[in-house]
mmCIF file of all heavy atoms in Angstrom:
data_model
loop_
_atom_site.group_PDB
_atom_site.id
_atom_site.type_symbol
_atom_site.label_atom_id
_atom_site.label_comp_id
_atom_site.label_asym_id
_atom_site.label_seq_id
_atom_site.Cartn_x
_atom_site.Cartn_y
_atom_site.Cartn_z
ATOM 1 N N ARG C 90 26.939 44.625 1.642
ATOM 2 C CA ARG C 90 28.082 43.714 1.747
ATOM 3 C C ARG C 90 28.500 43.262 0.330
ATOM 4 O O ARG C 90 29.704 43.248 -0.035
ATOM 5 C CB ARG C 90 27.758 42.526 2.610
ATOM 6 C CG ARG C 90 28.832 41.420 2.542
ATOM 7 C CD ARG C 90 28.427 40.203 3.379
ATOM 8 N NE ARG C 90 28.470 40.484 4.849
ATOM 9 C CZ ARG C 90 29.566 40.693 5.571
ATOM 10 N NH1 ARG C 90 30.773 40.525 4.984
ATOM 11 N NH2 ARG C 90 29.492 40.898 6.824
ATOM 12 N N ARG C 110 26.178 55.740 12.230
ATOM 13 C CA ARG C 110 27.516 56.112 12.673
ATOM 14 C C ARG C 110 27.551 57.622 13.032
ATOM 15 O O ARG C 110 28.089 58.002 14.023
ATOM 16 C CB ARG C 110 28.537 55.796 11.606
ATOM 17 C CG ARG C 110 28.629 54.304 11.309
ATOM 18 C CD ARG C 110 30.056 53.775 10.906
ATOM 19 N NE ARG C 110 30.024 52.502 10.237
ATOM 20 C CZ ARG C 110 29.714 51.366 10.846
ATOM 21 N NH1 ARG C 110 29.428 51.412 12.136
ATOM 22 N NH2 ARG C 110 29.719 50.237 10.234
ATOM 23 N N THR C 114 27.697 59.722 16.947
ATOM 24 C CA THR C 114 28.674 60.797 17.284
ATOM 25 C C THR C 114 27.949 62.044 17.794
ATOM 26 O O THR C 114 28.486 62.849 18.530
ATOM 27 C CB THR C 114 29.557 61.130 16.067
ATOM 28 O OG1 THR C 114 30.478 60.047 15.852
ATOM 29 C CG2 THR C 114 30.332 62.419 16.266
ATOM 30 N N LEU C 115 26.703 62.300 17.263
ATOM 31 C CA LEU C 115 26.006 63.459 17.560
ATOM 32 C C LEU C 115 25.199 63.424 18.862
ATOM 33 O O LEU C 115 24.854 64.411 19.429
ATOM 34 C CB LEU C 115 25.093 63.913 16.397
ATOM 35 C CG LEU C 115 25.740 64.161 15.063
ATOM 36 C CD1 LEU C 115 24.725 64.617 14.028
ATOM 37 C CD2 LEU C 115 26.902 65.150 15.186
ATOM 38 N N ASP C 117 23.479 60.460 22.175
ATOM 39 C CA ASP C 117 23.557 59.176 22.852
ATOM 40 C C ASP C 117 22.500 58.169 22.395
ATOM 41 O O ASP C 117 22.700 56.970 22.422
ATOM 42 C CB ASP C 117 23.494 59.354 24.347
ATOM 43 C CG ASP C 117 24.739 59.845 25.001
ATOM 44 O OD1 ASP C 117 25.634 58.965 25.200
ATOM 45 O OD2 ASP C 117 24.896 61.017 25.210
ATOM 46 N N LYS C 138 23.088 44.906 13.954
ATOM 47 C CA LYS C 138 24.237 44.422 13.186
ATOM 48 C C LYS C 138 25.352 45.462 13.185
ATOM 49 O O LYS C 138 26.537 45.112 13.330
ATOM 50 C CB LYS C 138 23.810 44.109 11.751
ATOM 51 C CG LYS C 138 24.877 43.528 10.855
ATOM 52 C CD LYS C 138 24.434 43.164 9.484
ATOM 53 C CE LYS C 138 24.180 44.347 8.633
ATOM 54 N NZ LYS C 138 23.718 44.090 7.273
ATOM 55 N N TYR C 141 24.501 49.394 17.051
ATOM 56 C CA TYR C 141 23.820 50.456 17.757
ATOM 57 C C TYR C 141 22.585 50.080 18.521
ATOM 58 O O TYR C 141 21.699 50.929 18.739
ATOM 59 C CB TYR C 141 23.573 51.556 16.697
ATOM 60 C CG TYR C 141 24.872 52.053 16.101
ATOM 61 C CD1 TYR C 141 25.293 51.625 14.832
ATOM 62 C CD2 TYR C 141 25.738 52.851 16.816
ATOM 63 C CE1 TYR C 141 26.465 52.014 14.213
ATOM 64 C CE2 TYR C 141 26.964 53.312 16.224
ATOM 65 C CZ TYR C 141 27.308 52.808 14.963
ATOM 66 O OH TYR C 141 28.521 53.221 14.501
ATOM 67 N N LYS C 144 21.779 52.095 21.505
ATOM 68 C CA LYS C 144 21.478 53.507 21.337
ATOM 69 C C LYS C 144 20.087 53.712 20.743
ATOM 70 O O LYS C 144 19.720 54.903 20.566
ATOM 71 C CB LYS C 144 22.563 54.103 20.300
ATOM 72 C CG LYS C 144 23.882 53.580 20.265
ATOM 73 C CD LYS C 144 24.710 53.951 21.520
ATOM 74 C CE LYS C 144 26.136 53.475 21.397
ATOM 75 N NZ LYS C 144 26.778 53.285 22.614
ATOM 76 N N GLU C 183 17.880 61.652 21.131
ATOM 77 C CA GLU C 183 18.623 62.903 20.998
ATOM 78 C C GLU C 183 18.950 63.207 19.539
ATOM 79 O O GLU C 183 19.387 64.322 19.220
ATOM 80 C CB GLU C 183 19.907 62.721 21.798
ATOM 81 C CG GLU C 183 19.666 62.477 23.300
ATOM 82 C CD GLU C 183 20.961 62.279 24.081
ATOM 83 O OE1 GLU C 183 21.970 62.955 23.740
ATOM 84 O OE2 GLU C 183 20.927 61.522 25.103
ATOM 85 N N GLN C 200 14.086 69.731 11.924
ATOM 86 C CA GLN C 200 15.245 70.033 12.812
ATOM 87 C C GLN C 200 15.052 71.387 13.476
ATOM 88 O O GLN C 200 15.379 71.557 14.657
ATOM 89 C CB GLN C 200 16.533 70.019 11.908
ATOM 90 C CG GLN C 200 17.834 70.253 12.661
ATOM 91 C CD GLN C 200 19.030 69.870 11.752
ATOM 92 O OE1 GLN C 200 19.428 68.751 11.740
ATOM 93 N NE2 GLN C 200 19.521 70.868 10.984
ATOM 94 N N VAL C 207 18.354 66.238 12.751
ATOM 95 C CA VAL C 207 17.481 65.310 12.038
ATOM 96 C C VAL C 207 18.213 64.957 10.755
ATOM 97 O O VAL C 207 18.503 65.804 9.919
ATOM 98 C CB VAL C 207 16.172 66.082 11.669
ATOM 99 C CG1 VAL C 207 15.242 65.163 10.818
ATOM 100 C CG2 VAL C 207 15.434 66.496 12.968
ATOM 101 N N TYR C 217 28.982 61.007 3.284
ATOM 102 C CA TYR C 217 29.838 59.939 3.769
ATOM 103 C C TYR C 217 30.724 59.338 2.645
ATOM 104 O O TYR C 217 31.860 59.089 2.842
ATOM 105 C CB TYR C 217 29.051 58.841 4.478
ATOM 106 C CG TYR C 217 29.804 57.878 5.386
ATOM 107 C CD1 TYR C 217 30.621 58.345 6.400
ATOM 108 C CD2 TYR C 217 29.673 56.477 5.245
ATOM 109 C CE1 TYR C 217 31.325 57.461 7.211
ATOM 110 C CE2 TYR C 217 30.378 55.590 6.034
ATOM 111 C CZ TYR C 217 31.226 56.092 7.022
ATOM 112 O OH TYR C 217 31.796 55.204 7.897
ATOM 113 N N PHE C 228 44.887 58.260 1.767
ATOM 114 C CA PHE C 228 45.549 57.342 2.732
ATOM 115 C C PHE C 228 45.427 55.914 2.330
ATOM 116 O O PHE C 228 45.969 55.012 2.986
ATOM 117 C CB PHE C 228 45.004 57.549 4.076
ATOM 118 C CG PHE C 228 44.854 58.993 4.489
ATOM 119 C CD1 PHE C 228 43.677 59.682 4.512
ATOM 120 C CD2 PHE C 228 46.059 59.769 4.769
ATOM 121 C CE1 PHE C 228 43.592 61.016 4.861
ATOM 122 C CE2 PHE C 228 45.946 61.080 5.099
ATOM 123 C CZ PHE C 228 44.716 61.723 5.128
ATOM 124 N N TRP C 230 42.797 54.123 2.474
ATOM 125 C CA TRP C 230 41.888 53.402 3.360
ATOM 126 C C TRP C 230 40.580 53.071 2.584
ATOM 127 O O TRP C 230 39.719 53.956 2.346
ATOM 128 C CB TRP C 230 41.525 54.245 4.609
ATOM 129 C CG TRP C 230 42.775 54.424 5.471
ATOM 130 C CD1 TRP C 230 43.815 53.578 5.601
ATOM 131 C CD2 TRP C 230 42.994 55.585 6.312
ATOM 132 N NE1 TRP C 230 44.754 54.155 6.497
ATOM 133 C CE2 TRP C 230 44.255 55.371 6.919
ATOM 134 C CE3 TRP C 230 42.335 56.745 6.570
ATOM 135 C CZ2 TRP C 230 44.830 56.257 7.782
ATOM 136 C CZ3 TRP C 230 42.883 57.695 7.444
ATOM 137 C CH2 TRP C 230 44.168 57.401 8.083
ATOM 138 N N SER C 233 38.439 46.713 3.266
ATOM 139 C CA SER C 233 39.466 45.642 3.481
ATOM 140 C C SER C 233 39.006 44.438 2.551
ATOM 141 O O SER C 233 37.868 44.036 2.573
ATOM 142 C CB SER C 233 39.518 45.205 4.882
ATOM 143 O OG SER C 233 40.424 44.103 5.010
ATOM 144 N N ARG F 90 33.075 63.295 26.151
ATOM 145 C CA ARG F 90 31.668 63.700 26.460
ATOM 146 C C ARG F 90 31.669 65.094 27.030
ATOM 147 O O ARG F 90 30.825 65.929 26.595
ATOM 148 C CB ARG F 90 31.126 62.771 27.488
ATOM 149 C CG ARG F 90 29.747 63.197 28.052
ATOM 150 C CD ARG F 90 29.191 62.269 29.119
ATOM 151 N NE ARG F 90 28.750 60.997 28.518
ATOM 152 C CZ ARG F 90 27.686 60.795 27.839
ATOM 153 N NH1 ARG F 90 26.868 61.868 27.613
ATOM 154 N NH2 ARG F 90 27.340 59.664 27.314
ATOM 155 N N ARG F 110 34.525 53.792 14.096
ATOM 156 C CA ARG F 110 33.416 54.050 13.165
ATOM 157 C C ARG F 110 33.928 53.741 11.674
ATOM 158 O O ARG F 110 33.265 53.089 10.914
ATOM 159 C CB ARG F 110 32.848 55.401 13.250
ATOM 160 C CG ARG F 110 32.236 55.690 14.649
ATOM 161 C CD ARG F 110 31.111 56.583 14.607
ATOM 162 N NE ARG F 110 30.741 57.120 15.972
ATOM 163 C CZ ARG F 110 30.256 56.427 16.952
ATOM 164 N NH1 ARG F 110 30.011 55.139 16.783
ATOM 165 N NH2 ARG F 110 29.974 57.003 18.086
ATOM 166 N N THR F 114 33.240 50.375 8.889
ATOM 167 C CA THR F 114 32.763 50.525 7.515
ATOM 168 C C THR F 114 33.758 49.833 6.550
ATOM 169 O O THR F 114 33.317 49.345 5.435
ATOM 170 C CB THR F 114 32.671 52.041 7.136
ATOM 171 O OG1 THR F 114 31.513 52.579 7.788
ATOM 172 C CG2 THR F 114 32.558 52.230 5.641
ATOM 173 N N LEU F 115 35.043 49.720 6.899
ATOM 174 C CA LEU F 115 36.039 49.152 5.994
ATOM 175 C C LEU F 115 36.152 47.636 6.143
ATOM 176 O O LEU F 115 36.621 47.000 5.191
ATOM 177 C CB LEU F 115 37.363 49.775 6.322
ATOM 178 C CG LEU F 115 37.460 51.333 6.114
ATOM 179 C CD1 LEU F 115 38.859 51.811 6.317
ATOM 180 C CD2 LEU F 115 36.954 51.764 4.719
ATOM 181 N N ASP F 117 34.943 43.803 8.725
ATOM 182 C CA ASP F 117 34.029 43.180 9.721
ATOM 183 C C ASP F 117 34.645 43.119 11.070
ATOM 184 O O ASP F 117 33.897 43.119 12.087
ATOM 185 C CB ASP F 117 33.658 41.797 9.267
ATOM 186 C CG ASP F 117 32.604 41.905 8.202
ATOM 187 O OD1 ASP F 117 31.383 42.058 8.586
ATOM 188 O OD2 ASP F 117 32.876 41.762 7.015
ATOM 189 N N LYS F 138 31.595 50.523 24.658
ATOM 190 C CA LYS F 138 30.674 51.726 24.782
ATOM 191 C C LYS F 138 30.264 52.237 23.411
ATOM 192 O O LYS F 138 29.113 52.606 23.301
ATOM 193 C CB LYS F 138 31.474 52.859 25.505
ATOM 194 C CG LYS F 138 30.675 54.057 25.843
ATOM 195 C CD LYS F 138 31.474 55.072 26.664
ATOM 196 C CE LYS F 138 32.488 55.761 25.813
ATOM 197 N NZ LYS F 138 33.286 56.712 26.583
ATOM 198 N N TYR F 141 31.135 48.488 19.401
ATOM 199 C CA TYR F 141 31.935 47.662 18.502
ATOM 200 C C TYR F 141 32.521 46.392 19.188
ATOM 201 O O TYR F 141 33.459 45.817 18.691
ATOM 202 C CB TYR F 141 33.056 48.476 17.801
ATOM 203 C CG TYR F 141 32.422 49.660 17.024
ATOM 204 C CD1 TYR F 141 32.444 50.925 17.574
ATOM 205 C CD2 TYR F 141 31.892 49.420 15.812
ATOM 206 C CE1 TYR F 141 31.866 51.985 16.878
ATOM 207 C CE2 TYR F 141 31.278 50.434 15.091
ATOM 208 C CZ TYR F 141 31.218 51.732 15.635
ATOM 209 O OH TYR F 141 30.702 52.735 14.966
ATOM 210 N N LYS F 144 32.902 43.432 17.065
ATOM 211 C CA LYS F 144 33.915 43.514 15.907
ATOM 212 C C LYS F 144 35.312 43.374 16.334
ATOM 213 O O LYS F 144 36.208 43.393 15.473
ATOM 214 C CB LYS F 144 33.701 44.841 15.234
ATOM 215 C CG LYS F 144 32.291 45.492 15.195
ATOM 216 C CD LYS F 144 31.346 44.769 14.275
ATOM 217 C CE LYS F 144 30.030 45.515 14.176
ATOM 218 N NZ LYS F 144 28.925 44.653 13.781
ATOM 219 N N GLU F 183 40.461 42.294 10.042
ATOM 220 C CA GLU F 183 40.361 42.780 8.649
ATOM 221 C C GLU F 183 40.827 44.264 8.527
ATOM 222 O O GLU F 183 41.132 44.746 7.427
ATOM 223 C CB GLU F 183 38.944 42.657 8.092
ATOM 224 C CG GLU F 183 38.441 41.230 8.099
ATOM 225 C CD GLU F 183 37.071 41.031 7.582
ATOM 226 O OE1 GLU F 183 36.684 41.772 6.752
ATOM 227 O OE2 GLU F 183 36.375 40.115 8.093
ATOM 228 N N GLN F 200 50.537 49.206 6.242
ATOM 229 C CA GLN F 200 49.435 48.927 5.379
ATOM 230 C C GLN F 200 49.936 48.313 4.076
ATOM 231 O O GLN F 200 49.301 47.348 3.572
ATOM 232 C CB GLN F 200 48.723 50.214 5.097
ATOM 233 C CG GLN F 200 47.506 50.172 4.192
ATOM 234 C CD GLN F 200 46.746 51.467 4.271
ATOM 235 O OE1 GLN F 200 45.903 51.657 5.106
ATOM 236 N NE2 GLN F 200 47.030 52.374 3.383
ATOM 237 N N VAL F 207 45.275 50.177 7.564
ATOM 238 C CA VAL F 207 45.866 50.475 8.857
ATOM 239 C C VAL F 207 45.581 51.880 9.180
ATOM 240 O O VAL F 207 46.065 52.774 8.530
ATOM 241 C CB VAL F 207 47.431 50.128 8.797
ATOM 242 C CG1 VAL F 207 48.075 50.529 10.167
ATOM 243 C CG2 VAL F 207 47.627 48.730 8.432
ATOM 244 N N TYR F 217 37.978 63.233 10.304
ATOM 245 C CA TYR F 217 36.568 63.139 10.828
ATOM 246 C C TYR F 217 36.089 64.477 11.186
ATOM 247 O O TYR F 217 34.911 64.841 10.949
ATOM 248 C CB TYR F 217 36.559 62.113 11.938
ATOM 249 C CG TYR F 217 35.170 61.608 12.259
ATOM 250 C CD1 TYR F 217 34.253 61.033 11.364
ATOM 251 C CD2 TYR F 217 34.688 61.627 13.637
ATOM 252 C CE1 TYR F 217 33.024 60.604 11.681
ATOM 253 C CE2 TYR F 217 33.434 61.123 14.007
ATOM 254 C CZ TYR F 217 32.632 60.653 13.000
ATOM 255 O OH TYR F 217 31.380 60.205 13.379
ATOM 256 N N GLN F 227 26.925 72.899 6.468
ATOM 257 C CA GLN F 227 25.920 72.737 5.389
ATOM 258 C C GLN F 227 24.559 72.444 5.897
ATOM 259 O O GLN F 227 23.561 72.869 5.408
ATOM 260 C CB GLN F 227 26.373 71.654 4.410
ATOM 261 C CG GLN F 227 27.342 72.141 3.342
ATOM 262 C CD GLN F 227 27.451 71.078 2.277
ATOM 263 O OE1 GLN F 227 28.091 70.026 2.534
ATOM 264 N NE2 GLN F 227 26.879 71.294 1.121
ATOM 265 N N PHE F 228 24.476 71.518 6.916
ATOM 266 C CA PHE F 228 23.159 70.954 7.291
ATOM 267 C C PHE F 228 22.767 71.227 8.775
ATOM 268 O O PHE F 228 21.695 70.788 9.154
ATOM 269 C CB PHE F 228 23.230 69.448 7.009
ATOM 270 C CG PHE F 228 23.785 69.103 5.703
ATOM 271 C CD1 PHE F 228 25.042 68.620 5.560
ATOM 272 C CD2 PHE F 228 23.049 69.336 4.533
ATOM 273 C CE1 PHE F 228 25.541 68.271 4.275
ATOM 274 C CE2 PHE F 228 23.544 69.077 3.281
ATOM 275 C CZ PHE F 228 24.803 68.547 3.122
ATOM 276 N N TRP F 230 24.021 69.814 11.308
ATOM 277 C CA TRP F 230 24.150 68.662 12.143
ATOM 278 C C TRP F 230 25.335 68.718 12.989
ATOM 279 O O TRP F 230 26.496 68.541 12.628
ATOM 280 C CB TRP F 230 24.281 67.410 11.293
ATOM 281 C CG TRP F 230 23.091 67.137 10.351
ATOM 282 C CD1 TRP F 230 21.810 67.447 10.640
ATOM 283 C CD2 TRP F 230 23.053 66.547 9.102
ATOM 284 N NE1 TRP F 230 20.985 67.104 9.661
ATOM 285 C CE2 TRP F 230 21.705 66.527 8.643
ATOM 286 C CE3 TRP F 230 24.018 66.000 8.224
ATOM 287 C CZ2 TRP F 230 21.295 66.013 7.411
ATOM 288 C CZ3 TRP F 230 23.619 65.502 6.992
ATOM 289 C CH2 TRP F 230 22.282 65.512 6.608
ATOM 290 N N SER F 233 24.037 66.994 19.449
ATOM 291 C CA SER F 233 22.714 67.238 20.022
ATOM 292 C C SER F 233 22.885 67.768 21.402
ATOM 293 O O SER F 233 23.486 67.222 22.267
ATOM 294 C CB SER F 233 21.898 65.918 20.039
ATOM 295 O OG SER F 233 20.645 66.146 20.633
#
Side-chain angles (χ1 to χ4, degrees):
Chain C
R90 170 182 292 285
R110 300 212 193 290
T114 286
L115 300 184
D117 282 279
K138 183 176 76 179
Y141 302 100
K144 328 287 187 204
E183 301 180 31
Q200 181 167 272
V207 177
Y217 194 53
F228 312 106
W230 296 329
S233 177
Chain F
R90 170 181 293 284
R110 300 212 193 290
T114 287
L115 300 184
D117 281 280
K138 183 176 74 179
Y141 302 101
K144 327 288 187 201
E183 302 180 30
Q200 181 168 272
V207 177
Y217 194 53
Q227 275 192 285
F228 312 106
W230 297 329
S233 177

